[in-house]
Amino acid sequence: MKNILMIGTGGTIASGQTAEGLAPELDPLQLLRDTPRVAQLCRVDCLQLYSLDSTNIRPCHWLGLARAIRERYDQYDGFVISHGTDTMAYTAAALSYLIQDCPKPIVLTGAQKPIWYDGTDSKRNLTDAFLYACRGCGGVQIVFNGKVILGTRARKTRTKSFNAFSSIDYPETAVFR
Ligand code: GLU
């Protein structure tokens, strides 16, 4: 079985209901509890790095993510990062340049609805992200709504649809059927 590190950074996927509305507060372990299929695919360790709405992700957080992966690189076969959708494409691009020529998959995913919502896209996206981290190519990719998109080519093109990300001027790396 492959060893995958899941890194939590916040976003809608990890949001709970608070007095001020939705806010990121769930950690990767809690997300995985709702996604039992992942345990059949691989062995997972969890690291809660940030609990942020991704509009508050800054270059220092990109550097922190790259450092967290570099420090643990030899222990894992792949990495899954849960992230808010608003700036996921920027983080994916930054990591693509910070960690170049990487033979192991580094997969970002998130969701339009929190993991506990009826009809949430969180469970599908998370499961697909782990599938790709176990069996996919190296480098940074976004896995979202059944598509795998190269980290340097992804853009959030829809704010409400589950089909939130597009690959710009480049084919998708893979699709889930
Ligand atoms: N603005 C939030 C974020 O990017 C919500 C969007 C989302 O995660 O889907 O973290």
Side-chain angles (χ1 to χ4, degrees):
M1 246 191 186
K2 296 255 170 118
N3 287 321
I4 307 293
L5 178 66
M6 178 171 174
I7 304 176
T9 70
T12 293
I13 189 170
S15 286
Q17 190 72 59
T18 72
E20 283 80 44
L22 291 179
E25 59 177 17
L26 306 177
D27 62 32
L29 259 184
Q30 290 168 297
L31 298 182
L32 290 175
R33 227 172 270 144
D34 280 327
T35 323
R37 209 181 140 206
V38 169
Q40 298 163 9
L41 299 173
C42 54
R43 222 186 55 73
V44 186
D45 287 334
C46 294
L47 174 68
Q48 175 72 351
L49 202 54
Y50 312 121
S51 260
L52 291 171
D53 183 306
S54 77
T55 52
N56 293 320
I57 294 270
R58 302 275 177 267
C60 63
H61 301 110
W62 299 338
L63 295 175
L65 268 167
R67 195 180 318 116
I69 291 171
R70 252 189 245 114
E71 285 172 359
R72 296 162 182 82
Y73 189 79
D74 293 337
Q75 300 160 49
Y76 296 99
D77 300 301
F79 301 85
V80 170
I81 301 167
S82 55
H83 196 288
T85 58
D86 283 343
T87 67
M88 190 189 299
Y90 302 112
T91 297
L95 290 179
S96 301
Y97 294 109
L98 287 168
I99 309 173
Q100 294 187 29
D101 301 320
C102 172
K104 299 181 183 179
I106 300 173
V107 182
L108 288 112
T109 196
Q112 295 283 49
K113 296 198 171 174
I115 200 147
W116 45 270
Y117 251 54
D118 279 348
T120 180
D121 51 339
S122 299
K123 296 172 191 178
R124 176 197 186 184
N125 290 344
L126 209 48
T127 305
D128 287 351
F130 275 94
L131 268 169
Y132 195 82
C134 290
R135 299 182 194 159
C137 307
V140 180
Q141 312 276 345
I142 286 181
V143 170
F144 210 95
N145 196 51
K147 295 191 284 195
V148 184
I149 301 173
L150 198 63
T152 48
R153 295 289 178 162
R155 186 179 299 163
K156 186 176 178 184
T157 45
R158 294 175 195 87
T159 50
K160 291 195 175 141
S161 165
F162 283 172
N163 188 20
F165 287 89
S166 304
S167 185
I168 305 300
D169 293 333
Y170 199 74
E172 287 148 8
T173 307
V175 287
F176 288 89
R177 300 242 182 255

